[in-house]
Amino acid sequence: MNRDTTRTGIKAALTDLLLDEDITLAEAADRHFTPDYRQRTDGEWADRSQFLDHIAHLRTLVAAGEIEVHEELRDGDKYADRHTCHITKKDGTTVSMEVYVFASMAPDGRFRRIEETTLMLEGSDADRNLGSAR
């Protein structure tokens, strides 16, 4: 059941989590992340609950955006990508962050673990922690 049509990727996951107002946070999380999901962003670990708190906070800030995937690699249950998040906040300011991801996938095609590093390309100093703000 590990066909490409059932596997998620960063663009699909982030679009559902942050940019599609027609899907609830719970639906997006269940679609793309396992119940035991963990994430490390810039060295700080978060369990699934902490990760969803982070996304809920971002949903209050983000008005629009685009996820630009530069490279995406899959090898069995391993996933890696380099992408840029271009975000317009509700206050009209913009943020662009380049993100480097290494992940493990569950047999059902959802993310089980992500470790990522972020690089601010555009935005204010206050936005530097946007990748892990709660």
Side-chain angles (χ1 to χ4, degrees):
M1 175 136 215
N2 216 358
R3 300 180 316 242
D4 282 341
T5 57
T6 62
R7 290 192 287 181
T8 192
I10 287 294
K11 184 171 184 163
L14 290 177
T15 297
D16 283 354
L17 287 171
L18 293 175
L19 306 176
D20 186 349
E21 295 177 359
D22 294 332
I23 185 170
T24 68
L25 181 55
E27 290 170 320
D30 289 344
R31 182 180 293 173
H32 301 285
F33 304 93
T34 61
D36 62 344
Y37 176 73
R38 293 182 37 144
Q39 178 168 317
R40 187 172 87 168
T41 302
D42 296 329
E44 296 209 16
W45 280 103
D47 62 19
R48 182 180 159 122
S49 175
Q50 293 166 319
F51 169 71
L52 294 180
D53 287 348
H54 160 65
I55 298 300
H57 174 68
L58 290 182
R59 280 185 163 204
T60 69
L61 301 176
V62 174
E66 177 191 356
I67 311 305
E68 179 184 3
V69 176
H70 307 290
E71 287 123 358
E72 183 176 51
L73 304 167
R74 298 175 192 268
D75 183 10
D77 69 346
K78 302 296 182 218
Y79 175 96
D81 100 340
R82 181 176 67 89
H83 66 275
T84 301
C85 296
H86 303 282
I87 300 296
T88 301
K89 293 169 45 180
K90 291 181 179 177
D91 67 5
T93 61
T94 58
V95 179
S96 290
M97 297 186 91
E98 189 168 344
V99 185
Y100 303 85
V101 171
F102 288 91
S104 294
M105 308 298 285
D108 67 4
R110 294 183 293 170
F111 288 112
R112 174 169 281 144
R113 177 186 48 81
I114 287 179
E115 295 188 50
E116 67 181 17
T117 299
T118 62
L119 174 65
M120 174 75 77
L121 301 176
E122 174 190 337
S124 71
D125 281 343
D127 292 324
R128 288 202 179 276
N129 73 339
L130 210 55
S132 59
R134 287 197 260 287

